[in-house]
Amino acid sequence: LKRFYQCAVRLQAAMKDRCSTSNVASVYIAADNNYAKLRIQSWDSSKSFKAASDIEVLHIGKSRFKEFDNLDLAYQRVWGELKVLIESACIVMSHSKFSYMGSDLSPQQPRCAVMHDDCEDRAVRDAVSSLHLPCTA
């Protein structure tokens, strides 16, 4: 989790530099784990990290569907989070199909995306260089 957070902060700073703005881009935390969302938010002193952490988490392929109070709503929220990933200016990715869908389905190609476990300066610089200007982050 800490690596995700540190990578997001690094990407956020690089976006700010690339977009020549004093504004800090908001970071949306999409995850299938509410604890992870809340933990990452707790490290953020800027309060720019946002998450929908009050929802039932549906992990497609792993969840026991009988446990959900409202399965239709759970599906809507999963697809809503995917839509946010697709439309985001930049994303920090894990090695999950969900992350890859968020990257691959984006109309912004090449995609501003960096892997959480390869978040060195070069990777962040390469990701941010593909941002479409003018920035709308």
Side-chain angles (χ1 to χ4, degrees), residues 30 77-87 98 101-102 105:
R77 289 180 171 160
V78 167
W79 299 123
E81 289 212 330
L82 180 60
K83 184 176 184 335
V84 170
L85 288 178
I86 290 168
E87 294 178 353
F98 202 71
M101 286 191 326
L105 295 175

Side-chain angles (χ1 to χ4, degrees), residues 77-107:
R77 289 180 171 160
V78 167
W79 299 123
E81 289 212 330
L82 180 60
K83 184 176 184 335
V84 170
L85 288 178
I86 290 168
E87 294 178 353
S88 294
C90 292
I91 60 174
V92 176
M93 296 174 56
S94 68
H95 295 279
S96 72
K97 290 178 186 172
F98 202 71
S99 286
Y100 283 105
M101 286 191 326
S103 178
D104 295 345
L105 295 175
S106 173

Side-chain angles (χ1 to χ4, degrees), residues 16-112:
K16 183 177 174 182
D17 291 345
R18 168 95 164 118
C19 295
S20 302
T21 181
S22 60
N23 297 333
V24 176
S26 292
V27 175
Y28 181 77
I29 307 162
D32 61 3
N33 182 310
N34 281 333
Y35 170 79
K37 292 178 181 186
L38 293 170
R39 186 75 177 136
I40 290 171
Q41 278 185 300
S42 75
W43 294 324
D44 172 38
S45 60
S46 72
K47 302 300 180 207
S48 63
F49 283 57
K50 313 294 184 205
S53 56
D54 60 341
I55 63 174
E56 288 184 282
V57 176
L58 172 66
H59 187 290
I60 296 175
K62 291 185 180 177
S63 293
R64 293 186 191 105
F65 299 109
K66 294 176 189 171
E67 295 176 3
F68 288 88
D69 295 331
N70 187 336
L71 188 57
D72 288 339
L73 181 60
Y75 272 118
Q76 288 172 11
R77 289 180 171 160
V78 167
W79 299 123
E81 289 212 330
L82 180 60
K83 184 176 184 335
V84 170
L85 288 178
I86 290 168
E87 294 178 353
S88 294
C90 292
I91 60 174
V92 176
M93 296 174 56
S94 68
H95 295 279
S96 72
K97 290 178 186 172
F98 202 71
S99 286
Y100 283 105
M101 286 191 326
S103 178
D104 295 345
L105 295 175
S106 173
Q108 302 172 40
Q109 298 295 334
R111 186 71 163 113
C112 176

